[in-house]
Amino acid sequence: PIEIDEGGLDELIDRSISDYDSRTGGFGSAPKFPRQTLLELLLNHLNGSSPEGERRNRIQQMLLHTLDALARGGIRDQLGGGFHRYSTDSIWLVPHFEIMLYDNAMLAWCYVEAFRQTKDARWADVARGIFDFVLREMTSPEGAFFTAFDAEVDAMEGGPYLWTPDEMLQVLGNQDDADYACRAYGLDRGFNFADPHHGT
């Protein structure tokens, strides 16, 4: 039998957050995963009988910084609302384009719980985006859930998520709008992704 006491839990948490990235949020380096189970542990710890004070504030700051970095980063489909599997870099910029149902389910719980604890509406917005994405894109007409989206579409990794300036112009129909969108999303600075399998 294993007994888990408060001291053992504190030690587990301290070891688990020892690789926190104070610059860009999250834990570890590239490839960088959201580590939903750790986020769940921290949220539950903060919701439980964890002591007040500097340690609690530090854990909460790491957690909220990470949730914010995930929500703002390329690992999240900023238009669709869902989350990709992981970031190929350490700054959450370029995702591995696979999308997993269970990743999104766990992240949705994390954002709902963050909202419940903080009452910060942006966490509720992220959670709603995940739920809308799953219901719209990962649910069959019969009501069953799809488990994943492949990273490759038509033999190109991330195909539906990669945009060129010409495609921006085609969709927006106005050069000024296209130029603005390209500046906003960094397309005016060149491409930030190359398909590792096909060299494009």
Side-chain angles (χ1 to χ4, degrees), residues 46-66:
L46 292 171
N47 189 49
S49 58
S50 62
E52 299 295 327
E54 184 180 329
R55 182 175 184 277
R56 178 186 175 87
N57 292 340
R58 182 170 55 90
I59 289 172
Q60 185 178 53
Q61 182 276 327
M62 290 178 182
L63 172 70
L64 297 181
H65 180 210
T66 297

Side-chain angles (χ1 to χ4, degrees), residues 187-199:
L187 281 175
D188 61 328
R189 298 189 297 272
F191 302 113
N192 61 15
F193 175 77
D195 186 335
H197 308 295
H198 305 97

